[in-house]
Amino acid sequence: MASKAPPRPTEMRSSRRRLARWQQEQRKARTALIFGIVAVLVILAIPAYGYYATFIKPPREWVVQVNDRIFTMGYLVKLLRMYQRGTELTGQNPNLGTMPFQIVQVISENELVRQVAPRYNITVSKEDIDQEVRRRILGTRPPNDTTPPDQLEREFRERYRQYLTAIRLSEQEHRQLVEWDLYRERMRDYLGQTIPTVQPQVRLSRLTVPTQDKAREVVQRFREGQPFPKLVNEYSIDDEEVRKEGDIGWVVKGIHTDLDEKIICPPEPGSNRETEMPGLFAGIQPGTLLCPQMRPTGPEGQNVWQVYLVTEVASAREVDSQQREILKTRALEKWLSEERPKHIVRLNFDSEKYAWVVKQLRIASTPTGQTTR
Protein backbone atom coordinates (compact mmCIF):
# COMPACT_ATOMS: atom_id res chain seq x y z
CA MET A 1 0.00 0.00 0.00
CA ALA A 2 1.06 3.47 -0.69
CA SER A 3 1.76 5.45 2.49
CA LYS A 4 -0.38 8.50 3.29
CA ALA A 5 1.31 11.73 2.46
CA PRO A 6 2.07 13.95 5.46
CA PRO A 7 -0.03 17.12 5.76
CA ARG A 8 1.41 20.09 4.11
CA PRO A 9 2.58 23.00 6.27
CA THR A 10 -0.16 25.25 4.89
CA GLU A 11 -2.82 22.70 5.83
CA MET A 12 -1.38 22.39 9.33
CA ARG A 13 -1.41 26.13 9.82
CA SER A 14 -5.02 26.27 8.58
CA SER A 15 -6.08 23.53 11.00
CA ARG A 16 -4.42 25.27 13.91
CA ARG A 17 -6.18 28.52 13.01
CA ARG A 18 -9.56 26.75 12.84
CA LEU A 19 -8.88 25.10 16.19
CA ALA A 20 -7.87 28.42 17.74
CA ARG A 21 -11.00 30.11 16.40
CA TRP A 22 -13.16 27.27 17.71
CA GLN A 23 -11.55 27.47 21.12
CA GLN A 24 -11.99 31.27 21.16
CA GLU A 25 -15.64 30.94 20.22
CA GLN A 26 -16.09 28.36 22.96
CA ARG A 27 -14.54 30.71 25.48
CA LYS A 28 -16.81 33.53 24.33
CA ALA A 29 -19.84 31.24 24.56
CA ARG A 30 -18.88 30.17 28.09
CA THR A 31 -18.29 33.79 29.10
CA ALA A 32 -21.64 34.82 27.65
CA LEU A 33 -23.32 31.91 29.44
CA ILE A 34 -21.73 32.88 32.74
CA PHE A 35 -22.75 36.51 32.32
CA GLY A 36 -26.27 35.38 31.43
CA ILE A 37 -26.51 33.20 34.52
CA VAL A 38 -25.19 36.04 36.72
CA ALA A 39 -27.70 38.46 35.17
CA VAL A 40 -30.57 36.04 35.82
CA LEU A 41 -29.40 35.53 39.40
CA VAL A 42 -29.21 39.29 39.94
CA ILE A 43 -32.70 39.74 38.50
CA LEU A 44 -34.03 36.96 40.72
CA ALA A 45 -32.12 38.28 43.75
CA ILE A 46 -33.79 41.71 43.64
CA PRO A 47 -37.32 40.49 44.50
CA ALA A 48 -35.86 37.79 46.74
CA TYR A 49 -33.95 40.39 48.75
CA GLY A 50 -37.03 42.61 48.79
CA TYR A 51 -39.06 39.73 50.21
CA TYR A 52 -36.33 39.00 52.77
CA ALA A 53 -35.96 42.68 53.74
CA THR A 54 -39.74 43.13 54.02
CA PHE A 55 -41.04 39.89 55.51
CA ILE A 56 -38.15 37.84 56.94
CA LYS A 57 -35.53 40.24 58.30
CA PRO A 58 -37.70 42.73 60.29
CA PRO A 59 -39.49 40.14 62.46
CA ARG A 60 -36.10 38.70 63.47
CA GLU A 61 -34.55 42.01 64.47
CA TRP A 62 -34.30 42.65 68.20
CA VAL A 63 -36.33 45.48 69.66
CA VAL A 64 -35.92 45.03 73.45
CA GLN A 65 -33.00 43.67 75.46
CA VAL A 66 -33.10 43.16 79.21
CA ASN A 67 -29.77 41.72 80.33
CA ASP A 68 -29.49 38.40 78.43
CA ARG A 69 -33.14 38.30 77.28
CA ILE A 70 -33.99 39.48 73.75
CA PHE A 71 -37.42 40.27 72.27
CA THR A 72 -37.89 40.59 68.52
CA MET A 73 -39.99 42.73 66.22
CA GLY A 74 -42.08 39.67 65.40
CA TYR A 75 -42.97 39.24 69.07
CA LEU A 76 -43.80 42.93 69.35
CA VAL A 77 -46.18 42.71 66.39
CA LYS A 78 -47.89 39.70 67.98
CA LEU A 79 -48.57 41.63 71.17
CA LEU A 80 -49.70 44.70 69.29
CA ARG A 81 -52.12 42.65 67.19
CA MET A 82 -53.53 41.17 70.39
CA TYR A 83 -54.14 44.63 71.90
CA GLN A 84 -55.42 45.89 68.55
CA ARG A 85 -58.04 43.16 68.39
CA GLY A 86 -59.00 43.82 72.00
CA THR A 87 -59.68 47.50 71.35
CA GLU A 88 -61.56 46.74 68.15
CA LEU A 89 -63.79 44.22 69.93
CA THR A 90 -64.78 46.94 72.41
CA GLY A 91 -65.62 49.33 69.58
CA GLN A 92 -62.56 51.53 70.09
CA ASN A 93 -59.85 52.56 67.66
CA PRO A 94 -56.31 51.71 68.79
CA ASN A 95 -53.99 54.72 68.96
CA LEU A 96 -51.27 53.58 66.58
CA GLY A 97 -49.38 56.80 67.20
CA THR A 98 -48.51 55.84 70.79
CA MET A 99 -49.41 52.17 71.33
CA PRO A 100 -46.26 50.62 69.76
CA PHE A 101 -43.97 52.80 71.89
CA GLN A 102 -45.98 52.03 75.02
CA ILE A 103 -45.82 48.26 74.44
CA VAL A 104 -42.05 48.40 73.85
CA GLN A 105 -41.69 50.19 77.18
CA VAL A 106 -44.02 47.76 78.97
CA ILE A 107 -42.06 44.74 77.65
CA SER A 108 -38.80 46.17 79.03
CA GLU A 109 -40.38 47.04 82.40
CA ASN A 110 -42.17 43.72 82.89
CA GLU A 111 -39.10 41.67 82.01
CA LEU A 112 -36.93 43.75 84.36
CA VAL A 113 -39.43 43.19 87.18
CA ARG A 114 -39.52 39.45 86.46
CA GLN A 115 -35.72 39.16 86.57
CA VAL A 116 -35.21 41.24 89.71
CA ALA A 117 -38.25 40.17 91.77
CA PRO A 118 -36.61 37.03 93.27
CA ARG A 119 -34.13 39.34 95.00
CA TYR A 120 -37.11 40.48 97.12
CA ASN A 121 -38.33 36.90 97.63
CA ILE A 122 -41.12 37.53 95.11
CA THR A 123 -41.80 34.45 93.01
CA VAL A 124 -44.48 33.19 90.62
CA SER A 125 -44.95 29.44 90.36
CA LYS A 126 -46.47 27.34 87.59
CA GLU A 127 -49.44 26.75 89.87
CA ASP A 128 -49.88 30.53 90.32
CA ILE A 129 -50.03 30.95 86.55
CA ASP A 130 -52.46 28.02 86.19
CA GLN A 131 -54.77 29.51 88.78
CA GLU A 132 -54.67 32.99 87.27
CA VAL A 133 -55.33 31.68 83.74
CA ARG A 134 -58.36 29.75 84.98
CA ARG A 135 -59.63 32.79 86.87
CA ARG A 136 -59.38 34.94 83.76
CA ILE A 137 -61.13 32.38 81.58
CA LEU A 138 -63.83 31.09 83.96
CA GLY A 139 -64.11 34.04 86.35
CA THR A 140 -64.50 33.66 90.10
CA ARG A 141 -66.80 30.75 90.87
CA PRO A 142 -69.50 31.29 93.54
CA PRO A 143 -68.98 29.41 96.84
CA ASN A 144 -72.12 27.29 96.29
CA ASP A 145 -71.14 26.23 92.75
CA THR A 146 -71.92 22.51 92.27
CA THR A 147 -70.61 22.09 88.72
CA PRO A 148 -68.72 18.76 88.46
CA PRO A 149 -64.93 19.24 88.18
CA ASP A 150 -64.70 17.32 84.88
CA GLN A 151 -67.37 19.56 83.33
CA LEU A 152 -65.54 22.67 84.56
CA GLU A 153 -62.32 21.36 83.06
CA ARG A 154 -63.94 20.77 79.66
CA GLU A 155 -65.53 24.23 79.77
CA PHE A 156 -62.20 25.82 80.67
CA ARG A 157 -60.31 24.00 77.91
CA GLU A 158 -62.86 24.95 75.24
CA ARG A 159 -63.03 28.60 76.31
CA TYR A 160 -59.25 28.82 76.58
CA ARG A 161 -58.81 27.35 73.11
CA GLN A 162 -61.27 29.86 71.67
CA TYR A 163 -59.56 32.71 73.51
CA LEU A 164 -56.07 31.77 72.23
CA THR A 165 -57.48 31.52 68.71
CA ALA A 166 -59.03 34.96 69.03
CA ILE A 167 -55.84 36.67 70.28
CA ARG A 168 -53.57 34.54 68.04
CA LEU A 169 -51.05 33.67 70.70
CA SER A 170 -49.74 30.29 71.68
CA GLU A 171 -50.48 28.99 75.16
CA GLN A 172 -46.84 29.51 76.12
CA GLU A 173 -46.90 33.12 74.90
CA HIS A 174 -50.10 33.85 76.80
CA ARG A 175 -48.79 32.27 79.98
CA GLN A 176 -45.72 34.53 79.75
CA LEU A 177 -48.00 37.58 79.71
CA VAL A 178 -49.85 36.24 82.75
CA GLU A 179 -46.53 35.62 84.52
CA TRP A 180 -45.45 39.21 83.80
CA ASP A 181 -48.72 40.56 85.18
CA LEU A 182 -48.38 38.54 88.38
CA TYR A 183 -44.80 39.64 88.96
CA ARG A 184 -45.66 43.28 88.33
CA GLU A 185 -48.67 43.21 90.68
CA ARG A 186 -46.72 41.46 93.44
CA MET A 187 -43.90 43.98 93.13
CA ARG A 188 -46.47 46.82 93.39
CA ASP A 189 -47.90 45.23 96.53
CA TYR A 190 -44.43 44.76 98.01
CA LEU A 191 -43.46 48.39 97.40
CA GLY A 192 -46.88 49.54 98.60
CA GLN A 193 -46.16 48.20 102.08
CA THR A 194 -43.98 51.25 102.72
CA ILE A 195 -46.81 53.73 101.96
CA PRO A 196 -48.25 55.20 105.21
CA THR A 197 -51.97 54.57 105.62
CA VAL A 198 -52.48 57.99 107.27
CA GLN A 199 -51.05 61.13 105.65
CA PRO A 200 -51.61 64.91 105.36
CA GLN A 201 -54.24 65.69 102.72
CA VAL A 202 -56.06 68.59 101.10
CA ARG A 203 -59.53 68.74 99.61
CA LEU A 204 -59.65 70.25 96.13
CA SER A 205 -62.20 71.67 93.74
CA ARG A 206 -61.34 71.93 90.05
CA LEU A 207 -62.52 73.92 87.04
CA THR A 208 -61.50 73.01 83.46
CA VAL A 209 -61.53 75.54 80.61
CA PRO A 210 -60.25 75.33 77.01
CA THR A 211 -57.81 78.30 77.02
CA GLN A 212 -55.39 80.14 79.26
CA ASP A 213 -57.34 83.37 78.76
CA LYS A 214 -60.48 81.71 80.13
CA ALA A 215 -58.45 80.41 83.11
CA ARG A 216 -57.18 83.90 83.87
CA GLU A 217 -60.74 85.22 83.60
CA VAL A 218 -61.87 82.63 86.17
CA VAL A 219 -59.03 83.63 88.53
CA GLN A 220 -59.93 87.30 88.20
CA ARG A 221 -63.63 86.75 88.88
CA PHE A 222 -62.84 84.54 91.91
CA ARG A 223 -60.64 87.32 93.32
CA GLU A 224 -63.54 89.70 92.80
CA GLY A 225 -65.67 87.52 95.10
CA GLN A 226 -67.51 85.12 92.78
CA PRO A 227 -68.16 81.70 94.45
CA PHE A 228 -66.13 78.89 92.92
CA PRO A 229 -69.17 76.55 92.39
CA LYS A 230 -70.88 79.34 90.42
CA LEU A 231 -67.79 79.76 88.25
CA VAL A 232 -67.64 76.00 87.67
CA ASN A 233 -71.24 75.98 86.50
CA GLU A 234 -70.59 78.92 84.16
CA TYR A 235 -67.16 78.08 82.72
CA SER A 236 -66.34 74.36 83.08
CA ILE A 237 -66.26 72.17 79.96
CA ASP A 238 -66.27 69.01 82.12
CA ASP A 239 -69.79 67.69 82.80
CA GLU A 240 -68.64 65.71 85.86
CA GLU A 241 -67.11 68.84 87.38
CA VAL A 242 -70.38 70.73 86.85
CA ARG A 243 -72.38 67.89 88.44
CA LYS A 244 -70.14 67.93 91.55
CA GLU A 245 -69.73 71.73 91.58
CA GLY A 246 -66.00 71.22 91.07
CA ASP A 247 -65.33 69.00 94.09
CA ILE A 248 -62.79 66.22 93.35
CA GLY A 249 -62.35 65.12 96.96
CA TRP A 250 -59.38 64.65 99.26
CA VAL A 251 -55.91 64.39 97.72
CA VAL A 252 -52.76 62.94 99.23
CA LYS A 253 -49.21 63.91 98.26
CA GLY A 254 -48.06 62.06 95.14
CA ILE A 255 -51.38 62.09 93.30
CA HIS A 256 -50.85 65.44 91.54
CA THR A 257 -47.05 65.54 91.54
CA ASP A 258 -46.88 68.87 89.70
CA LEU A 259 -48.80 70.51 92.58
CA ASP A 260 -46.95 68.83 95.45
CA GLU A 261 -43.98 71.11 96.05
CA LYS A 262 -44.39 74.56 94.55
CA ILE A 263 -46.57 76.16 91.89
CA ILE A 264 -45.16 78.72 89.47
CA CYS A 265 -47.91 81.07 88.35
CA PRO A 266 -47.96 82.48 84.80
CA PRO A 267 -47.36 86.23 84.73
CA GLU A 268 -50.39 88.42 85.24
CA PRO A 269 -51.39 90.62 82.29
CA GLY A 270 -49.06 93.60 82.25
CA SER A 271 -46.49 91.89 84.50
CA ASN A 272 -43.01 90.86 83.39
CA ARG A 273 -42.31 88.34 86.15
CA GLU A 274 -43.62 85.08 87.50
CA THR A 275 -44.90 84.60 91.03
CA GLU A 276 -44.25 81.55 93.17
CA MET A 277 -46.66 79.83 95.56
CA PRO A 278 -46.03 77.02 98.07
CA GLY A 279 -47.11 73.55 97.06
CA LEU A 280 -50.16 71.76 98.40
CA PHE A 281 -48.23 70.24 101.29
CA ALA A 282 -46.06 73.22 102.25
CA GLY A 283 -48.38 75.12 104.58
CA ILE A 284 -51.03 76.13 102.07
CA GLN A 285 -54.31 77.36 103.58
CA PRO A 286 -57.99 76.64 102.76
CA GLY A 287 -59.45 79.10 100.28
CA THR A 288 -56.23 79.32 98.24
CA LEU A 289 -56.71 79.34 94.49
CA LEU A 290 -53.85 77.56 92.72
CA CYS A 291 -52.33 78.84 89.51
CA PRO A 292 -53.92 77.48 86.31
CA GLN A 293 -52.28 74.28 85.06
CA MET A 294 -52.13 73.22 81.41
CA ARG A 295 -52.85 69.51 80.87
CA PRO A 296 -53.32 67.33 77.75
CA THR A 297 -56.59 65.87 79.02
CA GLY A 298 -59.05 67.33 76.53
CA PRO A 299 -60.73 65.45 73.68
CA GLU A 300 -58.14 63.52 71.63
CA GLY A 301 -55.34 64.74 73.90
CA GLN A 302 -55.96 68.43 73.33
CA ASN A 303 -54.57 70.86 75.92
CA VAL A 304 -56.93 72.31 78.50
CA TRP A 305 -56.40 74.60 81.49
CA GLN A 306 -57.41 73.65 85.00
CA VAL A 307 -57.86 75.89 88.05
CA TYR A 308 -57.75 74.32 91.54
CA LEU A 309 -59.18 75.63 94.80
CA VAL A 310 -58.09 74.29 98.20
CA THR A 311 -61.29 73.95 100.25
CA GLU A 312 -60.06 71.98 103.31
CA VAL A 313 -56.78 70.88 104.89
CA ALA A 314 -56.17 67.85 107.15
CA SER A 315 -52.85 67.17 108.87
CA ALA A 316 -53.61 63.44 109.21
CA ARG A 317 -56.24 61.54 107.27
CA GLU A 318 -56.59 57.93 106.15
CA VAL A 319 -55.63 57.31 102.52
CA ASP A 320 -58.54 55.79 100.60
CA SER A 321 -58.13 52.61 98.55
CA GLN A 322 -58.26 54.32 95.15
CA GLN A 323 -55.49 56.76 95.95
CA ARG A 324 -53.49 54.00 97.59
CA GLU A 325 -53.50 52.07 94.29
CA ILE A 326 -52.23 55.17 92.48
CA LEU A 327 -49.46 55.60 95.05
CA LYS A 328 -48.45 51.95 94.64
CA THR A 329 -48.15 52.46 90.89
CA ARG A 330 -46.07 55.60 91.46
CA ALA A 331 -43.83 53.64 93.83
CA LEU A 332 -43.28 51.00 91.14
CA GLU A 333 -42.47 53.69 88.56
CA LYS A 334 -39.91 55.20 90.94
CA TRP A 335 -38.40 51.78 91.63
CA LEU A 336 -38.08 51.07 87.88
CA SER A 337 -36.34 54.40 87.25
CA GLU A 338 -33.82 53.60 90.01
CA GLU A 339 -33.32 49.94 89.04
CA ARG A 340 -33.02 50.35 85.26
CA PRO A 341 -29.49 51.91 85.25
CA LYS A 342 -28.16 48.87 87.15
CA HIS A 343 -28.95 46.53 84.26
CA ILE A 344 -28.53 46.20 80.51
CA VAL A 345 -31.84 47.57 79.27
CA ARG A 346 -31.81 48.62 75.62
CA LEU A 347 -34.61 49.63 73.25
CA ASN A 348 -34.07 49.40 69.49
CA PHE A 349 -37.22 51.00 68.11
CA ASP A 350 -36.74 53.85 65.66
CA SER A 351 -39.00 55.54 63.11
CA GLU A 352 -38.23 52.93 60.43
CA LYS A 353 -39.23 50.04 62.68
CA TYR A 354 -42.29 51.96 63.84
CA ALA A 355 -43.41 52.43 60.21
CA TRP A 356 -42.98 48.70 59.52
CA VAL A 357 -44.94 47.75 62.66
CA VAL A 358 -47.82 50.09 61.84
CA LYS A 359 -47.95 48.70 58.31
CA GLN A 360 -48.29 45.16 59.69
CA LEU A 361 -51.05 46.25 62.07
CA ARG A 362 -53.00 47.93 59.29
CA ILE A 363 -52.67 44.83 57.11
CA ALA A 364 -53.88 42.68 59.99
CA SER A 365 -56.94 44.87 60.53
CA THR A 366 -58.28 44.12 57.01
CA PRO A 367 -60.11 40.85 56.20
CA THR A 368 -57.64 39.91 53.46
CA GLY A 369 -54.66 40.65 55.68
CA GLN A 370 -55.59 38.50 58.64
CA THR A 371 -53.36 35.68 57.49
CA THR A 372 -50.43 37.99 56.65
CA ARG A 373 -47.24 37.24 58.53
Side-chain angles (χ1 to χ4, degrees):
M1 289 181 62
S3 61
K4 187 175 180 180
R8 297 174 183 176
T10 54
E11 293 176 349
M12 292 179 62
R13 286 195 295 274
S14 177
S15 296
R16 285 196 293 271
R17 283 196 296 272
R18 286 196 298 271
L19 178 60
R21 283 196 299 270
W22 180 82
Q23 290 174 339
Q24 186 177 13
E25 290 172 356
Q26 288 294 102
R27 284 194 296 271
K28 289 181 179 178
R30 286 196 297 269
T31 301
L33 178 62
I34 291 172
F35 276 123
I37 293 173
V38 170
V40 170
L41 290 176
V42 170
I43 292 172
L44 294 176
I46 292 174
Y49 177 78
Y51 181 84
Y52 169 79
T54 303
F55 298 104
I56 298 178
K57 180 185 176 183
R60 296 178 178 179
E61 291 184 349
W62 73 276
V63 68
V64 175
Q65 177 185 1
V66 181
N67 294 320
D68 59 350
R69 188 80 184 274
I70 298 293
F71 299 90
T72 66
M73 291 275 286
Y75 182 73
L76 172 62
V77 169
K78 274 192 171 186
L79 294 190
L80 287 168
R81 283 176 175 167
M82 181 189 73
Y83 287 111
Q84 181 185 32
R85 283 188 288 273
T87 56
E88 290 173 348
L89 288 174
T90 59
Q92 302 174 350
N93 292 322
N95 187 345
L96 297 183
T98 59
M99 187 170 69
F101 297 96
Q102 292 171 346
I103 300 304
V104 167
Q105 188 67 34
V106 167
I107 291 173
S108 67
E109 291 178 356
N110 286 350
E111 180 58 22
L112 181 60
V113 171
R114 186 193 69 82
Q115 292 186 21
V116 180
R119 184 202 305 166
Y120 300 87
N121 295 322
I122 300 173
T123 59
V124 174
S125 67
K126 176 182 177 297
E127 291 72 22
D128 294 333
I129 300 173
D130 291 341
Q131 183 177 355
E132 179 62 16
V133 170
R134 294 181 71 90
R135 186 192 67 79
R136 295 185 182 190
I137 299 301
L138 294 177
T140 303
R141 312 300 295 185
N144 58 350
D145 183 22
T146 58
T147 306
D150 58 339
Q151 181 178 336
L152 271 180
E153 183 63 24
R154 288 194 300 270
E155 181 181 348
F156 164 72
R157 283 296 164 191
E158 179 59 22
R159 288 190 185 181
Y160 194 30
R161 182 190 64 79
Q162 293 175 356
Y163 175 71
L164 293 176
T165 300
I167 64 174
R168 295 184 188 172
L169 291 182
S170 68
E171 183 174 353
Q172 181 181 357
E173 290 168 336
H174 176 253
R175 287 175 65 87
Q176 180 183 47
L177 296 183
V178 174
E179 181 185 29
W180 273 347
D181 288 345
L182 290 173
Y183 268 117
R184 190 179 184 105
E185 186 58 29
R186 291 178 183 185
M187 181 62 78
R188 280 181 73 251
D189 288 340
Y190 174 84
L191 297 172
Q193 296 174 12
T194 62
I195 298 173
T197 58
V198 175
Q199 298 188 42
Q201 296 184 47
V202 296
R203 188 165 188 169
L204 294 177
S205 287
R206 185 182 65 204
L207 192 161
T208 302
V209 290
T211 66
Q212 185 179 22
D213 287 341
K214 284 290 184 184
R216 286 173 171 167
E217 187 177 327
V218 166
V219 172
Q220 182 61 34
R221 292 191 59 186
F222 179 79
R223 288 171 176 168
E224 292 172 354
Q226 292 291 326
F228 197 77
K230 181 177 182 296
L231 295 173
V232 170
N233 186 66
E234 182 176 344
Y235 284 92
S236 179
I237 60 174
D238 187 316
D239 293 339
E240 187 67 10
E241 284 179 359
V242 173
R243 188 179 70 82
K244 294 184 176 181
E245 296 186 322
D247 183 44
I248 62 172
W250 289 92
V251 176
V252 69
K253 186 174 183 178
I255 300 298
H256 298 290
T257 54
D258 55 343
L259 303 179
D260 284 349
E261 301 301 334
K262 63 181 181 180
I263 304 144
I264 302 295
C265 297
E268 294 295 328
S271 172
N272 59 1
R273 67 182 184 86
E274 294 182 339
T275 58
E276 185 174 308
M277 293 176 59
L280 288 179
F281 303 93
I284 206 162
Q285 297 299 314
T288 302
L289 194 69
L290 306 185
C291 296
Q293 305 288 313
M294 185 180 69
R295 303 184 190 280
T297 57
E300 300 181 357
Q302 297 171 350
N303 290 332
V304 297
W305 288 81
Q306 294 180 329
V307 182
Y308 291 87
L309 174 69
V310 179
T311 58
E312 295 183 67
V313 176
S315 59
R317 194 173 188 276
E318 187 173 355
V319 180
D320 65 39
S321 59
Q322 183 178 2
Q323 293 195 71
R324 187 169 184 81
E325 291 302 311
I326 296 175
L327 293 177
K328 286 164 61 175
T329 298
R330 296 280 166 80
L332 177 61
E333 292 170 352
K334 182 175 183 292
W335 178 87
L336 283 167
S337 67
E338 295 172 350
E339 190 69 27
R340 190 178 292 109
K342 304 174 186 177
H343 302 264
I344 300 173
V345 180
R346 297 195 299 158
L347 306 182
N348 180 32
F349 194 62
D350 54 23
S351 58
E352 183 178 346
K353 291 181 173 61
Y354 166 78
W356 183 85
V357 163
V358 170
K359 181 179 179 181
Q360 304 310 304
L361 295 178
R362 286 173 176 160
I363 291 173
S365 65
T366 61
T368 57
Q370 289 180 352
T371 57
T372 301
R373 293 290 181 267

